[in-house]
Amino acid sequence: MSKSHNTQSCGSFDHEIGRRAFLGGLTACGVAGLSGVNPVHALSEPEFTKVLKAKDRRVILLWLAGGASQFETFDPKPGRPTGGPFGEIPTNITGVKISELMPKMAKRMDTTCLIRSLSTGNADHVSGSQLMMRGRRDEPNLAYPDFGAMVARELAQKESQVPDYVSLFSATEGRRFSRLSQGFLPGRYAPMRLEESMKPPNLEKLDKISQGDHERRSQLQSLLNQRFLSSRKTSVAESHAAAFARVNGLMSSQKLFDISDEPQYIKDMYGPTLFGQQALMARRMVEAGVPFVRVARAWWDSHAQNFETHLELVPELDRVMSALLDDLKARGMLDNTLVITLGEFGRTPRINPGMGRDHFARAWSASLSGAGVVGGSVYGETDENGEHVKKNPVNAGQFVATVLEAAGIDSSKEYHVGARPVPLVDPGIEPVRDVLS
Amino acid sequence: MFSVNDDPIEMKPDPKKFKIVREHKRKDILFSVHMDQKSNSIFCGSSDSKIHLLNARDEKPQSKALEGGHTSYVSGIAQAGPHLVSGAWDKKLIWWNAKEGMVVKKIDAHDKWIRAVSASPDGKWIASTSDDMIVKLWNAASQELVKDLKGHAVTTPTDFPSMLFTARFSPDSKYLASADKIGDVIIWDLESKKELVRLKAPELYTWDDRQRFHSIGGARSVCFSPDGTKLAVSGVGKIGNVDGLGGKARISVFDWKNKKKLIEFQSGQQGLVNHLEFSHDGKWVLGGGGNQQKGFFIFLDLEAEKPKAIHEVQAPMHVHEFAFSEDQLSLQAVGHQKVLYCELKAPAPPAEKKT
């Protein structure tokens, strides 16, 4: 049961981005006062290395919406009053044990870093989701971008014809809780939402327009744009032209959103569930150059029957996560793709009368796999009952800074909103360097 | 609270007189119970991985633990001749010398978590059910596996792992009924060791295919009537928000040989009906259960023209299981951090036992 519901849309970029809306958003928002990396600073050697490192990085976020239990995944406490009925199993990293519900991931822990000491202080679905996606709260007069938008901004190729940020969220519960947004960044970095379907709406050309007509219209539009730009070159006009080019790109890359031509053995790896299919689509997207894809698996909010819920959902997560890591590895992409599992919070040590666990943000877990992290490592520790962080607490800001750094992005970088410098994470927030490779 | 009267009084069990007489708090969660009819003490399977022996009838029950057995929640306990047999989420079955509190035999019985253990009334068989979706039939005396009874689907229609919650023998020990998450109930013929009848109770299973993409519910208890002709099946009805147990407690009664549903009862109480027992005269069936806030007892009238409860009582805990005394004048119930002693007779004059 969700404690708080807020399905209000929070502005135009929280709406579905179809082809037409996508186009409109880009042209309207392409003028945000924004500057990127200071050119002088960028030439210094460490920064230059980072830029090179970041060049081909991609990020896939497996968003465990509703809040998965750390006890039944990455921080088991078997035999303790809070531990629940499941056992723990050894992994391929000596001394590291995870829930018996994750036997596949147990064999792949060398790819993965566990953070067992998230202490984020917000156990509300809506504001907790926003906090974990941004690392901080919005200001009254400044909406921050979520880390998907920041990754998109930093890693997108300028001439890319694929989306920079895609969010797949099929369940209706919790869809809007994160309020995914590019904040003050240009509209290009707003998430393309795939919700009712795994394909963007309005992607196909109208039946009454022939392919030849469609191509001739595009050529005419391009010609007119170029003429206009030659005499009136402004950021608005440029954004308009870029938007048209990218929509054309989307229309010609419909196969990106279609997994039917994947080999059967690949589909079998991911499994038959929607989450599996969407994770496979995420792999296709990052392979095609999409810098950030969020795949939401909802809904983990097990206020009753926590163990039955996790019996159902954790084996699915285990299969899908393992398949994704294996698939990326087989394609040589795991070294430059960061895979994150994260929700808005974890679940209580206390088991309630309905055999449920409630919301808990004081001591919980997330995982980082692949690019930029020290595989096989565990950061932080909770006490014997999982009630408190015993060692190395990590807050939401630190977590986001760590994700950015793992993706090859300098988390100390600043954007500018008008004349105001705005850092990617709040001042004083440091990434967890121990987990970064 | 009412006092316990030790004076022997000739009375009949009467659901309308059901009273919770004693309520004992505990730190653990108790999932399973077996009553020793000689002493009226109960063996309780606990979340602390132990079996506790106590008598909830006592004002201050002393709890003695049988240790060194399981390593996870003890989900089922049954008596097999001189032995107590327990099953747990650690996938093990243990035969105990209950008197001595000693382990007689420990078996890696299933590949997944054991949900229930049942003994046949004639003392010959033990049945264990597990999320490996196999009902295992054991020789109670030799502790040997007799047969894997396979027939429950391993996955749900949406390709998620199913769960096999319960199994109970018929009073004549000729049949065994087992029930799973999607509401499939199989009655097994113990002579041929084959599936005899399959009943469907899909209303006990909710799969949310839009809001939350997961499920809740399942057939949690089955019980044969004393004459063996009826089979009661229980759980919770359809649920709008599968984060909780907000559906109506539900009991269905079948003429199982003819695959005919006789009664479909929805209670005003919300939550799972975790355990069922028929009255000796077959006139009512008692269900106990609860949700994430509270528990309940429901006496379902089996003689009424339309499905109705004789009596519904809120319990101060989520009830996981209960066991009647032989005369059904009292029961002891276990559940979430409490044990209850209840009577089904008019309360005796308040003469508190002083010891």
Side-chain angles (χ1 to χ4, degrees):
Chain A
M1 188 189 319
S2 52
K3 290 218 168 150
S4 172
H5 293 267
N6 191 340
T7 54
Q8 262 192 329
S9 175
C10 67
S12 60
F13 297 109
D14 210 28
H15 293 156
E16 187 175 285
I17 306 287
R19 179 166 60 92
R20 294 181 181 90
F22 180 71
L23 175 64
L26 285 180
T27 51
C29 300
V31 291
L34 168 78
S35 68
V37 179
N38 179 323
V40 177
H41 191 58
L43 290 174
S44 66
E45 195 177 320
E47 290 305 315
F48 188 60
T49 308
K50 276 187 179 174
V51 170
L52 282 180
K53 236 170 74 175
K55 197 178 170 192
D56 291 320
R57 289 272 162 99
R58 306 279 180 260
V59 177
I60 297 174
L61 168 61
L62 302 179
W63 177 250
L64 310 182
S69 167
Q70 64 281 9
F71 294 97
E72 279 73 47
T73 51
F74 295 126
D75 195 11
K77 303 286 181 187
R80 301 301 306 169
T82 55
F86 301 114
E88 62 185 4
I89 51 173
T91 67
N92 62 352
I93 299 300
T94 307
V96 178
K97 294 179 178 177
I98 60 175
S99 168
E100 65 174 316
L101 298 176
M102 305 194 80
K104 292 177 187 291
M105 275 310 299
K107 294 174 184 166
R108 293 161 177 82
M109 281 309 295
D110 55 317
T111 62
T112 296
C113 161
L114 300 181
I115 296 180
R116 284 178 168 163
S117 53
L118 285 172
S119 189
T120 52
N122 188 329
D124 172 74
H125 284 301
V126 176
S127 50
S129 299
Q130 291 168 45
L131 178 66
M132 292 316 299
M133 287 302 302
R134 287 163 179 70
R136 54 190 163 184
R137 292 173 193 275
D138 282 345
E139 293 178 30
N141 57 353
L142 185 66
Y144 291 114
D146 60 57
F147 68 80
M150 289 191 277
V151 168
R153 164 69 179 80
E154 297 304 315
L155 303 187
Q157 303 296 314
K158 194 180 174 190
E159 305 301 328
S160 170
Q161 294 199 334
V162 294
D164 298 322
Y165 180 1
V166 177
S167 171
L168 294 121
F169 202 134
S170 295
T172 58
E173 187 69 8
R175 256 187 206 172
R176 294 290 189 254
F177 288 178
S178 300
R179 289 186 182 160
L180 296 185
S181 167
Q182 80 285 6
F184 55 75
L185 294 174
R188 172 177 169 171
Y189 307 114
M192 168 183 277
R193 296 175 184 278
L194 300 181
E195 294 172 345
E196 296 303 325
S197 160
M198 282 166 65
K199 241 181 197 180
N202 307 320
L203 199 61
E204 294 91 2
K205 67 175 177 53
L206 297 175
D207 287 341
K208 62 185 178 186
I209 300 173
S210 70
Q211 185 61 33
D213 279 351
H214 176 66
E215 283 166 11
R216 282 190 289 276
R217 283 175 182 215
S218 290
Q219 286 163 3
L220 177 61
Q221 190 276 333
S222 176
L223 178 69
L224 293 173
N225 260 352
Q226 281 169 15
R227 280 189 187 168
F228 188 84
L229 280 172
S230 64
S231 56
R232 298 181 186 83
K233 192 168 186 176
T234 65
S235 57
V236 174
E238 280 182 325
S239 177
H240 189 266
F244 265 106
R246 299 187 71 227
V247 169
N248 273 330
L250 272 179
M251 291 179 74
S252 61
S253 60
Q254 288 187 47
K255 274 196 164 295
L256 187 63
F257 305 99
D258 180 7
I259 61 168
S260 63
D261 62 347
E262 285 285 336
Q264 191 58 44
Y265 81 94
I266 293 284
K267 287 191 259 193
D268 290 344
M269 275 169 59
Y270 285 87
T273 63
L274 186 61
F275 182 41
Q277 292 172 20
Q278 292 183 337
L280 173 53
M281 184 180 280
R283 192 273 293 157
R284 288 170 67 87
M285 287 182 184
V286 296
E287 196 172 29
V290 178
F292 188 91
V293 183
R294 182 173 99 149
V295 181
R297 192 355 172 158
W299 182 246
W300 293 76
D301 199 18
S302 50
H303 290 287
Q305 301 289 289
N306 173 75
F307 306 113
E308 273 71 30
T309 300
H310 283 74
L311 262 174
E312 195 164 67
L313 300 187
V314 181
E316 183 195 32
L317 172 65
D318 187 44
R319 179 175 184 169
V320 170
M321 189 177 171
S322 308
L324 181 59
L325 297 180
D326 288 357
D327 197 8
L328 289 168
K329 193 173 185 179
R331 288 161 196 275
M333 294 169 62
L334 188 57
D335 287 342
N336 62 3
T337 306
L338 173 67
V339 177
I340 308 163
T341 67
L342 177 72
E344 61 264 47
F345 42 63
R347 305 216 73 85
T348 50
R350 175 182 173 267
I351 298 161
N352 71 29
M355 298 304 292
R357 294 189 192 270
D358 301 303
H359 303 175
F360 193 63
R362 198 166 65 206
W364 56 291
S365 302
S367 73
L368 303 169
S369 307
V373 297
V374 181
S377 64
V378 176
Y379 187 81
E381 190 180 335
T382 52
D383 62 15
E384 60 182 0
N385 287 330
E387 290 168 330
H388 300 276
V389 172
K390 196 171 150 187
K391 196 175 160 190
N392 295 331
V394 176
N395 63 30
Q398 288 172 282
F399 184 80
V400 169
T402 307
V403 165
L404 294 173
E405 293 282 346
I409 298 164
D410 179 2
S411 63
S412 66
K413 178 180 171 174
E414 289 179 346
Y415 294 130
H416 285 83
V417 178
R420 177 183 166 183
V422 181
L424 270 64
V425 295
D426 277 347
I429 293 291
E430 287 288 323
V432 181
R433 300 209 182 273
D434 287 358
V435 310
L436 296 169
S437 61
Chain B
M1 288 298 116
F2 293 84
S3 62
V4 174
N5 187 348
D6 274 344
D7 296 330
I9 303 168
E10 283 295 322
M11 295 186 85
K12 279 188 174 180
D14 181 353
K16 288 181 180 168
K17 303 296 181 188
F18 181 87
K19 303 279 186 191
I20 297 166
V21 180
R22 294 208 190 283
E23 176 184 333
H24 305 289
K25 288 185 180 173
R26 295 181 63 87
K27 287 184 177 172
D28 55 353
I29 306 167
L30 299 173
F31 298 100
S32 49
V33 62
H34 169 74
M35 186 181 288
D36 175 57
Q37 294 296 346
K38 285 183 187 166
S39 65
N40 276 339
S41 293
I42 52 173
F43 294 95
C44 314
S46 168
S47 60
D48 68 8
S49 311
K50 297 172 189 167
I51 295 170
H52 296 270
L53 176 62
L54 60 97
N55 193 333
R57 196 168 184 256
D58 296 343
E59 191 177 358
K60 290 181 180 172
Q62 299 296 309
S63 186
K64 182 187 162 192
L66 279 62
E67 297 190 50
H70 291 291
T71 56
S72 187
Y73 291 7
V74 181
S75 48
I77 303 179
Q79 180 89 36
H83 295 135
L84 198 68
V85 184
S86 62
W89 285 62
D90 61 8
K91 308 161 197 168
K92 290 180 169 53
L93 274 184
I94 296 181
W95 268 256
W96 300 81
N97 179 329
K99 208 172 178 181
E100 306 292 328
M102 302 288 286
V103 173
V104 174
K105 188 167 186 177
K106 191 183 285 192
I107 300 171
D108 291 320
H110 286 270
D111 290 338
K112 289 192 176 180
W113 309 273
I114 293 176
R115 295 284 188 164
V117 178
S118 183
S120 62
D122 65 5
K124 286 184 180 173
W125 311 108
I126 289 288
S128 57
T129 65
S130 158
D131 286 351
D132 60 15
M133 304 310 285
I134 299 171
V135 184
K136 295 208 175 200
L137 193 63
W138 306 83
N139 182 312
S142 68
Q143 299 130 31
E144 285 170 353
L145 179 65
V146 176
K147 183 81 177 176
D148 283 349
L149 303 175
K150 295 180 182 177
H152 288 278
V154 173
T155 55
T156 65
T158 46
D159 294 307
F160 288 90
S162 191
M163 299 162 200
L164 188 52
F165 289 115
T166 185
R168 296 280 284 278
F169 289 91
S170 62
D172 58 9
S173 301
K174 289 183 176 174
Y175 308 105
L176 176 70
S178 56
D180 66 23
K181 179 162 188 171
I182 61 171
D184 276 8
V185 182
I186 298 178
I187 294 93
W188 308 87
D189 175 25
L190 294 179
E191 192 177 337
S192 64
K193 315 284 188 303
K194 288 184 176 166
E195 178 178 333
L196 188 64
V197 171
R198 184 177 290 244
L199 305 172
K200 299 272 184 184
E203 65 279 2
L204 300 178
Y205 169 69
T206 302
W207 165 257
D208 179 344
D209 64 356
R210 177 158 175 80
Q211 287 181 282
R212 294 172 173 84
F213 287 118
H214 73 90
S215 71
I216 201 161
R220 299 303 178 111
S221 183
V222 289
C223 188
F224 285 94
S225 60
D227 65 4
T229 61
K230 299 186 186 80
L231 185 77
V233 183
S234 69
V236 60
K238 295 293 180 190
I239 293 178
N241 178 351
V242 295
D243 295 348
L245 289 166
K248 291 183 175 178
R250 202 164 175 126
I251 303 171
S252 298
V253 181
F254 293 86
D255 167 359
W256 65 270
K257 283 186 179 168
N258 294 307
K259 296 187 179 184
K260 187 180 170 191
K261 192 180 277 183
L262 303 172
I263 297 172
E264 191 164 316
F265 174 74
Q266 290 191 83
S267 167
Q269 309 285 339
Q270 291 194 334
L272 287 164
V273 179
N274 290 312
H275 189 68
L276 292 167
E277 293 288 349
F278 273 86
S279 64
H280 289 334
D281 60 10
K283 291 182 177 176
W284 47 263
V285 64
L286 172 60
N291 62 14
Q292 58 269 42
Q293 278 93 37
K294 59 192 176 188
F296 53 75
F297 293 99
I298 300 165
F299 290 89
L300 175 61
D301 191 340
L302 300 177
E303 295 187 313
E305 280 187 20
K306 289 183 178 175
K308 74 177 182 73
I310 301 170
H311 193 31
E312 296 192 34
V313 183
Q314 289 207 354
M317 65 174 187
H318 183 122
V319 177
H320 285 293
E321 198 168 302
F322 57 86
F324 273 114
S325 60
E326 201 159 21
D327 55 13
Q328 290 196 324
L329 291 174
S330 67
L331 64 84
Q332 296 185 46
V334 299
H336 195 82
Q337 298 181 326
K338 280 179 184 166
V339 184
L340 306 179
Y341 171 70
C342 310
E343 292 180 348
L344 289 73
K345 55 185 178 181
E352 196 72 38
K353 183 180 175 184
K354 308 268 188 205
T355 53

